[in-house]
Amino acid sequence: MTVSPALVEAVRVRLARAGVEPSAAQVAVALRAERAVYGDAEILAVARALCADLIGAGPLEPLLAAPDVTDVLVNGPREVWVDDGDGLRRTPITLPDDAAVRRLAQRLAAAAGRRLDDASPYVDARLPGGVRLHAVLPPIASDGTCVSLRLPPRRTYTLDDLVTAGAIPPQAVAVLHAIVTARLAFLVTGGTGTGKTTLLSALLSLSAPGERLLLVEDSAELRPAHPHVVRLESRPANLEGAGGVALRDLVRQALRMRPDRVVVGEVRGAEVVDLLAALNTGHEGGCGTLHANAAADVPARLEALACAAGLSREAVHSQLAAALDVVVHLTRSRLDGRRRVSEICLLTRDPHGLVSAHPALTFAHNGTCAEGPAYQALMSAIADRSDPLPEVGRPR
């Protein structure tokens, strides 16, 4: 049923003046006051439209409810984009004007307990239900209010699911399984939207049932299928600048909670220092995600983060050499938007003391697999940590 925007607006005004929630009963009262006669179906339709517009995501609700959508992006009132796994595409959905987009952004920010106005023109928050919100108001956003919504995974994908979807080449499954089983420390890397969190959740699901997983995240997105998971989530400071809890604080707390694996959902700041220290003090099997354009860039990216946190370059590479073993790198095709594993690399230290990433397995767009110079070293590292030796098939 199509609901008249004018009628919805009239009912909204009446409910706002009365200070009541947009329930079906209150909507029926407001409709009678408008001298409109509607049946139950029409009343429920108006109530749903009001709830979406007053306390939900308004016209974006159908997009957020779609099963394959991962991102909803609003670039002003006339541009609403969506990513449903095949890259970004523009939708026919529009909003009346920029004031409507601003109200939507402020309503969502308020639902997350955050402030969004001229004095605080941007917000990064997690909504109830796990949706990640980012919004920017004019004049910071010069073309109009921008809203970015990142949806959490609807379910946990297994490695077999990711193989079926084309994200993991079949030749990589045994190697990835062996890396987790052997408790090698690893990072899942890639650009924005390449599926790092999805792959990390799938890999964590392979952990032994008796292991205790400590997940440290800015926003709770990891959903491993595992019986013993403890989640810690950071918290921004309040308007007075107090009460903030950073990832670095949570990594330290996680180390006191008897973890078998310490997992940092996204390494992007000073928490890298505590993570490297943890992995150097007997906490094997730790892992996380990291934004990087290529696997070869990972050491430099970690160096930049750790040096900014106060470590010297030499100390960073010494810690890195002893802490991390493997990089699993993801890319996204520019042609069809498909996400896939492109490389599995081994981190090794050269005679000068610097750590670099050396390819062990490389996967082409057509699914073919090639051994890299570090393949045998990776197999040796897995064998050294495994009992019994896992059956790891060589690529064909």
Side-chain angles (χ1 to χ4, degrees):
M1 171 189 173
T2 302
V3 181
S4 165
L7 179 62
V8 172
E9 180 63 24
V11 172
R12 184 222 307 275
V13 171
R14 285 191 176 273
L15 294 179
R17 288 174 179 171
V20 295
E21 294 291 329
S23 64
Q26 294 295 343
V27 168
V29 171
L31 285 173
R32 283 196 294 270
E34 290 293 322
R35 297 183 180 179
V37 179
Y38 290 99
D40 291 343
E42 289 84 354
I43 290 174
L44 289 175
V46 173
R48 282 194 297 268
L50 282 169
C51 285
D53 197 41
L54 292 177
I55 60 177
L60 305 183
E61 286 284 358
L63 300 179
L64 298 177
D68 296 324
V69 170
T70 60
D71 295 89
V72 177
L73 310 173
V74 182
N75 306 336
R78 302 302 174 200
E79 289 190 34
V80 177
W81 296 75
V82 67
D83 187 343
D84 52 9
D86 294 323
L88 287 171
R89 60 178 178 83
R90 190 169 179 175
T91 72
I93 294 175
T94 60
L95 285 87
D97 50 33
D98 192 67
V101 184
R102 183 186 179 102
R103 288 196 302 270
L104 169 64
Q106 290 176 321
R107 183 168 68 248
L108 294 174
R114 302 294 299 279
R115 172 183 174 182
L116 183 64
D117 52 30
D118 290 339
S120 182
Y122 52 83
V123 67
D124 185 14
R126 178 175 176 264
L127 300 174
V131 176
R132 184 72 176 266
L133 163 71
H134 188 273
V136 186
L137 299 179
I140 306 300
S142 57
D143 293 329
T145 303
C146 293
V147 180
S148 304
L149 297 171
R150 166 66 62 86
L151 279 71
R154 303 299 206 282
R155 65 185 181 92
T156 298
Y157 290 86
T158 65
L159 290 190
D160 289 340
D161 293 333
L162 296 178
V163 169
T164 302
I168 299 179
Q171 305 95 320
V173 173
V175 178
L176 292 173
H177 198 293
I179 288 170
V180 176
T181 303
R183 296 179 58 79
L184 297 182
F186 65 91
L187 288 177
V188 178
T189 65
T192 301
T194 52
K196 298 185 294 297
T197 300
T198 300
L199 177 58
L200 182 56
S201 291
L203 294 176
L204 288 173
S205 300
L206 302 175
S207 302
E211 293 182 350
R212 176 176 165 93
L213 311 185
L214 263 293
L215 311 186
V216 178
E217 301 178 82
D218 266 332
S219 178
E221 297 177 342
L222 290 169
R223 298 179 181 224
H226 192 276
H228 197 164
V229 175
V230 179
R231 293 179 172 86
L232 301 179
E233 190 172 352
S234 66
R235 183 178 68 189
N238 60 20
L239 295 179
E240 289 75 31
V245 180
L247 281 182
R248 187 169 191 178
D249 301 320
L250 295 181
V251 171
R252 293 173 181 171
Q253 300 310 310
L255 298 179
R256 296 174 172 87
M257 298 173 68
R258 202 275 184 201
D260 288 304
R261 292 182 190 263
V262 177
V263 182
V264 178
E266 182 181 341
V267 180
R268 61 179 181 181
E271 66 277 358
V272 67
V273 174
D274 298 278
L275 178 62
L276 292 177
L279 298 180
N280 274 307
T281 54
H283 294 87
E284 295 181 341
C287 52
T289 72
L290 177 76
H291 278 79
N293 294 327
D297 297 336
V298 170
R301 177 94 170 99
L302 292 172
E303 178 186 314
L305 294 175
C307 288
L311 287 186
S312 66
R313 189 186 190 198
E314 294 77 12
V316 172
H317 284 268
S318 294
Q319 293 266 44
L320 182 55
L324 284 168
D325 302 299
V326 176
V327 171
V328 181
H329 189 70
L330 294 160
T331 56
R332 188 166 188 170
S333 171
R334 296 180 181 178
L335 299 177
D336 57 11
R338 296 286 181 179
R339 309 169 176 96
R340 65 181 184 86
V341 175
S342 62
E343 276 187 297
I344 299 176
C345 297
L346 187 68
L347 294 174
T348 57
R349 194 174 188 180
D350 64 25
H352 302 288
L354 300 180
V355 173
S356 55
H358 298 277
L361 292 173
T362 303
F363 306 98
H365 287 279
N366 59 8
T368 59
C369 175
E371 288 186 17
Y375 179 78
Q376 290 299 335
L378 175 60
M379 293 301 101
S380 297
I382 291 173
D384 290 343
R385 301 276 191 92
S386 301
D387 186 22
L389 179 67
E391 294 181 3
V392 179
R394 293 173 66 88
R396 296 188 296 271

Short mmCIF file of all heavy atoms in Angstrom, two decimals, residues 35-74:
data_model
loop_
_atom_site.label_atom_id
_atom_site.label_comp_id
_atom_site.label_asym_id
_atom_site.label_seq_id
_atom_site.Cartn_x
_atom_site.Cartn_y
_atom_site.Cartn_z
N ARG A 35 -10.05 13.16 10.36
CA ARG A 35 -11.31 12.85 9.70
C ARG A 35 -11.08 11.94 8.49
O ARG A 35 -11.71 12.09 7.45
CB ARG A 35 -12.04 14.12 9.29
CG ARG A 35 -12.43 14.98 10.48
CD ARG A 35 -13.20 16.21 10.07
NE ARG A 35 -13.56 16.99 11.23
CZ ARG A 35 -14.25 18.16 11.18
NH1 ARG A 35 -14.65 18.62 9.99
NH2 ARG A 35 -14.54 18.80 12.27
N ALA A 36 -10.14 11.01 8.66
CA ALA A 36 -9.87 10.03 7.60
C ALA A 36 -10.31 8.67 8.10
O ALA A 36 -10.10 8.31 9.26
CB ALA A 36 -8.37 10.01 7.27
N VAL A 37 -10.99 7.92 7.23
CA VAL A 37 -11.49 6.60 7.58
C VAL A 37 -10.63 5.56 6.87
O VAL A 37 -10.60 5.51 5.63
CB VAL A 37 -12.97 6.43 7.19
CG1 VAL A 37 -13.45 5.01 7.55
CG2 VAL A 37 -13.83 7.48 7.87
N TYR A 38 -9.92 4.75 7.66
CA TYR A 38 -9.04 3.73 7.10
C TYR A 38 -9.24 2.42 7.84
O TYR A 38 -9.64 2.40 9.01
CB TYR A 38 -7.57 4.15 7.20
CG TYR A 38 -7.20 5.29 6.29
CD1 TYR A 38 -7.12 6.59 6.77
CD2 TYR A 38 -6.93 5.05 4.94
CE1 TYR A 38 -6.78 7.64 5.94
CE2 TYR A 38 -6.59 6.10 4.10
CZ TYR A 38 -6.52 7.39 4.60
OH TYR A 38 -6.19 8.41 3.76
N GLY A 39 -8.95 1.35 7.16
CA GLY A 39 -9.01 0.04 7.78
C GLY A 39 -7.72 -0.29 8.50
O GLY A 39 -6.78 0.51 8.57
N ASP A 40 -7.68 -1.51 9.05
CA ASP A 40 -6.51 -1.93 9.83
C ASP A 40 -5.24 -1.91 9.00
O ASP A 40 -4.17 -1.50 9.48
CB ASP A 40 -6.74 -3.34 10.39
CG ASP A 40 -7.83 -3.36 11.46
OD1 ASP A 40 -8.14 -2.27 11.96
OD2 ASP A 40 -8.32 -4.46 11.76
N ALA A 41 -5.31 -2.37 7.75
CA ALA A 41 -4.12 -2.43 6.90
C ALA A 41 -3.55 -1.04 6.66
O ALA A 41 -2.33 -0.84 6.70
CB ALA A 41 -4.45 -3.11 5.57
N GLU A 42 -4.44 -0.07 6.40
CA GLU A 42 -3.98 1.29 6.15
C GLU A 42 -3.36 1.91 7.42
O GLU A 42 -2.33 2.59 7.35
CB GLU A 42 -5.14 2.17 5.67
CG GLU A 42 -5.62 1.86 4.27
CD GLU A 42 -6.63 0.72 4.26
OE1 GLU A 42 -6.86 0.11 5.33
OE2 GLU A 42 -7.17 0.43 3.18
N ILE A 43 -3.99 1.65 8.57
CA ILE A 43 -3.46 2.19 9.83
C ILE A 43 -2.07 1.62 10.11
O ILE A 43 -1.14 2.35 10.48
CB ILE A 43 -4.42 1.88 10.99
CG1 ILE A 43 -5.70 2.71 10.83
CG2 ILE A 43 -3.76 2.18 12.33
CD1 ILE A 43 -6.77 2.37 11.85
N LEU A 44 -1.90 0.31 9.90
CA LEU A 44 -0.59 -0.31 10.14
C LEU A 44 0.45 0.22 9.16
O LEU A 44 1.62 0.40 9.53
CB LEU A 44 -0.71 -1.84 10.01
CG LEU A 44 -1.47 -2.53 11.15
CD1 LEU A 44 -1.62 -4.01 10.86
CD2 LEU A 44 -0.74 -2.32 12.47
N ALA A 45 0.03 0.48 7.91
CA ALA A 45 0.98 1.02 6.93
C ALA A 45 1.45 2.41 7.34
O ALA A 45 2.64 2.74 7.25
CB ALA A 45 0.34 1.05 5.55
N VAL A 46 0.52 3.24 7.80
CA VAL A 46 0.90 4.58 8.25
C VAL A 46 1.79 4.48 9.50
O VAL A 46 2.78 5.21 9.63
CB VAL A 46 -0.36 5.43 8.55
CG1 VAL A 46 0.04 6.76 9.18
CG2 VAL A 46 -1.16 5.66 7.28
N ALA A 47 1.46 3.55 10.41
CA ALA A 47 2.27 3.38 11.61
C ALA A 47 3.68 2.95 11.26
O ALA A 47 4.66 3.45 11.84
CB ALA A 47 1.61 2.35 12.54
N ARG A 48 3.82 2.01 10.29
CA ARG A 48 5.16 1.57 9.88
C ARG A 48 5.94 2.71 9.26
O ARG A 48 7.14 2.89 9.52
CB ARG A 48 5.05 0.40 8.90
CG ARG A 48 4.75 -0.93 9.56
CD ARG A 48 4.99 -2.08 8.59
NE ARG A 48 4.09 -2.01 7.44
CZ ARG A 48 2.92 -2.63 7.40
NH1 ARG A 48 2.49 -3.34 8.44
NH2 ARG A 48 2.17 -2.53 6.32
N ALA A 49 5.27 3.50 8.41
CA ALA A 49 5.95 4.63 7.77
C ALA A 49 6.42 5.65 8.80
O ALA A 49 7.53 6.19 8.72
CB ALA A 49 5.02 5.29 6.74
N LEU A 50 5.58 5.90 9.81
CA LEU A 50 5.96 6.85 10.85
C LEU A 50 7.10 6.32 11.70
O LEU A 50 8.03 7.06 12.05
CB LEU A 50 4.75 7.17 11.72
CG LEU A 50 3.75 8.16 11.12
CD1 LEU A 50 2.48 8.17 11.96
CD2 LEU A 50 4.34 9.54 11.04
N CYS A 51 7.03 5.04 12.06
CA CYS A 51 8.10 4.46 12.88
C CYS A 51 9.43 4.53 12.14
O CYS A 51 10.47 4.85 12.72
CB CYS A 51 7.77 3.01 13.24
SG CYS A 51 6.51 2.85 14.51
N ALA A 52 9.40 4.23 10.84
CA ALA A 52 10.63 4.30 10.06
C ALA A 52 11.16 5.71 9.99
O ALA A 52 12.37 5.95 10.04
CB ALA A 52 10.39 3.76 8.65
N ASP A 53 10.23 6.68 9.92
CA ASP A 53 10.67 8.07 9.74
C ASP A 53 11.01 8.75 11.06
O ASP A 53 11.83 9.66 11.09
CB ASP A 53 9.56 8.85 9.02
CG ASP A 53 10.08 10.16 8.45
OD1 ASP A 53 11.19 10.15 7.91
OD2 ASP A 53 9.37 11.18 8.55
N LEU A 54 10.38 8.28 12.15
CA LEU A 54 10.60 8.93 13.44
C LEU A 54 11.70 8.27 14.26
O LEU A 54 12.46 8.95 14.94
CB LEU A 54 9.30 8.94 14.25
CG LEU A 54 8.16 9.82 13.71
CD1 LEU A 54 6.93 9.66 14.57
CD2 LEU A 54 8.57 11.28 13.63
N ILE A 55 11.75 6.94 14.21
CA ILE A 55 12.73 6.26 15.06
C ILE A 55 13.63 5.31 14.29
O ILE A 55 14.53 4.72 14.85
CB ILE A 55 12.02 5.48 16.20
CG1 ILE A 55 11.08 4.44 15.60
CG2 ILE A 55 11.27 6.42 17.11
CD1 ILE A 55 10.39 3.56 16.66
N GLY A 56 13.41 5.18 12.99
CA GLY A 56 14.22 4.27 12.19
C GLY A 56 15.01 5.00 11.14
O GLY A 56 15.36 6.17 11.29
N ALA A 57 15.29 4.31 10.03
CA ALA A 57 16.10 4.88 8.97
C ALA A 57 15.27 5.42 7.81
O ALA A 57 15.79 5.65 6.73
CB ALA A 57 17.09 3.83 8.45
N GLY A 58 13.97 5.61 8.03
CA GLY A 58 13.12 6.21 7.02
C GLY A 58 13.12 5.43 5.73
O GLY A 58 12.97 4.20 5.72
N PRO A 59 13.30 6.12 4.59
CA PRO A 59 13.26 5.43 3.30
C PRO A 59 14.42 4.46 3.08
O PRO A 59 14.41 3.69 2.12
CB PRO A 59 13.32 6.58 2.29
CG PRO A 59 13.94 7.72 3.03
CD PRO A 59 13.49 7.56 4.45
N LEU A 60 15.41 4.47 3.98
CA LEU A 60 16.54 3.54 3.85
C LEU A 60 16.22 2.17 4.46
O LEU A 60 17.00 1.23 4.24
CB LEU A 60 17.78 4.11 4.52
CG LEU A 60 18.24 5.50 4.09
CD1 LEU A 60 19.52 5.87 4.82
CD2 LEU A 60 18.43 5.58 2.59
N GLU A 61 15.12 2.06 5.19
CA GLU A 61 14.80 0.81 5.87
C GLU A 61 14.77 -0.39 4.93
O GLU A 61 15.30 -1.46 5.26
CB GLU A 61 13.47 0.93 6.61
CG GLU A 61 13.54 1.77 7.87
CD GLU A 61 14.21 1.04 9.03
OE1 GLU A 61 14.58 -0.13 8.87
OE2 GLU A 61 14.36 1.65 10.10
N PRO A 62 14.15 -0.30 3.73
CA PRO A 62 14.15 -1.48 2.84
C PRO A 62 15.55 -1.91 2.43
O PRO A 62 15.81 -3.10 2.26
CB PRO A 62 13.33 -1.00 1.63
CG PRO A 62 12.49 0.12 2.14
CD PRO A 62 13.33 0.80 3.17
N LEU A 63 16.46 -0.95 2.26
CA LEU A 63 17.83 -1.29 1.90
C LEU A 63 18.53 -2.01 3.05
O LEU A 63 19.26 -2.98 2.84
CB LEU A 63 18.61 -0.04 1.50
CG LEU A 63 18.06 0.75 0.30
CD1 LEU A 63 18.93 1.99 0.06
CD2 LEU A 63 18.03 -0.12 -0.95
N LEU A 64 18.32 -1.52 4.26
CA LEU A 64 18.96 -2.12 5.42
C LEU A 64 18.42 -3.53 5.69
O LEU A 64 19.11 -4.36 6.28
CB LEU A 64 18.76 -1.25 6.66
CG LEU A 64 19.36 0.16 6.59
CD1 LEU A 64 19.03 0.94 7.86
CD2 LEU A 64 20.86 0.10 6.39
N ALA A 65 17.20 -3.78 5.23
CA ALA A 65 16.60 -5.10 5.45
C ALA A 65 16.97 -6.10 4.38
O ALA A 65 16.76 -7.30 4.56
CB ALA A 65 15.08 -4.97 5.53
N ALA A 66 17.53 -5.64 3.25
CA ALA A 66 17.90 -6.56 2.17
C ALA A 66 19.02 -7.48 2.64
O ALA A 66 19.97 -7.04 3.30
CB ALA A 66 18.33 -5.77 0.94
N PRO A 67 18.95 -8.77 2.30
CA PRO A 67 19.88 -9.75 2.90
C PRO A 67 21.34 -9.59 2.51
O PRO A 67 22.22 -9.95 3.29
CB PRO A 67 19.31 -11.10 2.42
CG PRO A 67 18.52 -10.77 1.20
CD PRO A 67 17.96 -9.41 1.43
N ASP A 68 21.64 -9.09 1.31
CA ASP A 68 23.02 -9.06 0.83
C ASP A 68 23.68 -7.69 0.94
O ASP A 68 24.83 -7.53 0.54
CB ASP A 68 23.08 -9.54 -0.62
CG ASP A 68 22.65 -10.99 -0.78
OD1 ASP A 68 22.94 -11.79 0.13
OD2 ASP A 68 22.01 -11.31 -1.80
N VAL A 69 22.99 -6.71 1.44
CA VAL A 69 23.52 -5.35 1.50
C VAL A 69 24.55 -5.24 2.62
O VAL A 69 24.31 -5.67 3.75
CB VAL A 69 22.39 -4.33 1.70
CG1 VAL A 69 22.95 -2.95 2.02
CG2 VAL A 69 21.52 -4.26 0.46
N THR A 70 25.70 -4.66 2.29
CA THR A 70 26.75 -4.42 3.29
C THR A 70 26.93 -2.94 3.60
O THR A 70 27.37 -2.60 4.69
CB THR A 70 28.09 -5.00 2.82
OG1 THR A 70 28.47 -4.36 1.58
CG2 THR A 70 27.99 -6.50 2.58
N ASP A 71 26.61 -2.07 2.65
CA ASP A 71 26.80 -0.62 2.84
C ASP A 71 25.64 0.13 2.21
O ASP A 71 25.21 -0.21 1.10
CB ASP A 71 28.11 -0.15 2.21
CG ASP A 71 29.33 -0.75 2.87
OD1 ASP A 71 29.76 -1.83 2.45
OD2 ASP A 71 29.84 -0.14 3.82
N VAL A 72 25.18 1.16 2.91
CA VAL A 72 24.21 2.12 2.36
C VAL A 72 24.83 3.50 2.52
O VAL A 72 25.19 3.91 3.63
CB VAL A 72 22.86 2.04 3.08
CG1 VAL A 72 21.91 3.11 2.53
CG2 VAL A 72 22.25 0.65 2.93
N LEU A 73 24.94 4.23 1.41
CA LEU A 73 25.64 5.51 1.40
C LEU A 73 24.70 6.58 0.86
O LEU A 73 24.14 6.44 -0.23
CB LEU A 73 26.90 5.43 0.54
CG LEU A 73 27.84 4.26 0.83
CD1 LEU A 73 28.95 4.19 -0.20
CD2 LEU A 73 28.40 4.36 2.23
N VAL A 74 24.55 7.66 1.62
CA VAL A 74 23.69 8.77 1.22
C VAL A 74 24.57 9.99 0.98
O VAL A 74 25.21 10.50 1.90
CB VAL A 74 22.64 9.08 2.31
CG1 VAL A 74 21.73 10.21 1.85
CG2 VAL A 74 21.83 7.83 2.63
#
